[in-house]
Amino acid sequence: MKIFLLSFATLILISAGCNNSPTKAPTATIGNDTITLEVVNDAESKRKGLSNRDGIDSDNGMLFDFREEINRKPNFWMKDMRFAIDIIWIKDNKIIHINEDVPPPKSITDQLPTYGPPSEIDFVLEVQSGLSKGSEWKIGDEIKLRL
């Protein structure tokens, strides 16, 4: 009997220490599309964004969190970007503006335009160029964020 209790107790302790359930990555769902997110919320990560990368998968995106910022109407630019993106501006869990197919600079000496929202935002979502048009996202669409 003691051996059984010891074995059962050992099994309980081993089971308690093993958590095999994977941590779920943050996601954004727009219509039938679910995007796995890389969330950036500190100044350095926001400054760097997707720069110096070779691309982003069609089911991934970068979410910039501006909820705690004083400036909630930021401007973005494509410094050191190597690929085109769509920029989705989000307020109150709805798309308020979309910049489609924003191109990377042609050279390091290019004058870089800036892109901004029409009003204050909570989040900015950057995704692969063409995803918003191909998925028929539009202003007013709801975005369900799971952070």
Side-chain angles (χ1 to χ4, degrees):
M1 184 76 153
K2 288 183 182 179
I3 294 173
F4 173 74
L5 290 176
L6 181 60
S7 297
F8 182 71
T10 303
L11 180 61
I12 297 269
L13 288 173
I14 291 171
S15 296
C18 295
N19 183 358
N20 291 330
S21 62
T23 303
K24 292 191 176 187
T27 61
T29 302
I30 308 168
N32 294 324
D33 302 302
T34 299
I35 307 297
T36 300
L37 301 173
E38 179 179 343
V39 179
V40 294
N41 52 19
D42 64 75
E44 179 59 23
S45 296
K46 286 178 183 174
R47 185 195 64 72
K48 186 175 179 185
L50 291 170
S51 64
N52 294 311
R53 297 186 188 190
D54 292 326
I56 188 166
D57 290 338
S58 63
D59 59 349
N60 289 343
M62 180 171 279
L63 186 74
F64 296 77
D65 186 346
F66 283 92
R67 292 175 294 177
E68 302 297 321
E69 297 290 329
I70 293 171
N71 178 14
R72 300 211 21 216
K73 196 174 175 187
N75 286 311
F76 279 46
W77 64 348
M78 297 292 283
K79 186 176 187 307
D80 298 323
M81 287 292 291
R82 299 179 184 159
F83 58 97
I85 59 172
D86 291 347
I87 304 173
I88 317 305
W89 306 90
I90 304 164
K91 174 72 174 167
D92 296 328
N93 296 316
K94 293 188 190 262
I95 296 174
I96 65 163
H97 188 66
I98 301 172
N99 293 104
E100 293 180 348
D101 197 27
V102 178
K106 292 181 177 136
S107 74
I108 58 172
T109 59
D110 271 0
Q111 182 79 11
L112 298 176
T114 58
Y115 304 88
S119 61
E120 289 189 343
I121 49 89
D122 299 319
F123 299 98
V124 177
L125 174 61
E126 293 183 342
V127 295
Q128 187 180 79
S129 177
L131 184 60
S132 62
K133 187 174 186 174
S135 297
E136 298 180 355
W137 299 344
K138 60 190 176 313
I139 293 171
D141 282 355
E142 183 180 0
I143 296 186
K144 294 176 187 170
L145 296 172
R146 289 173 191 84
L147 305 175

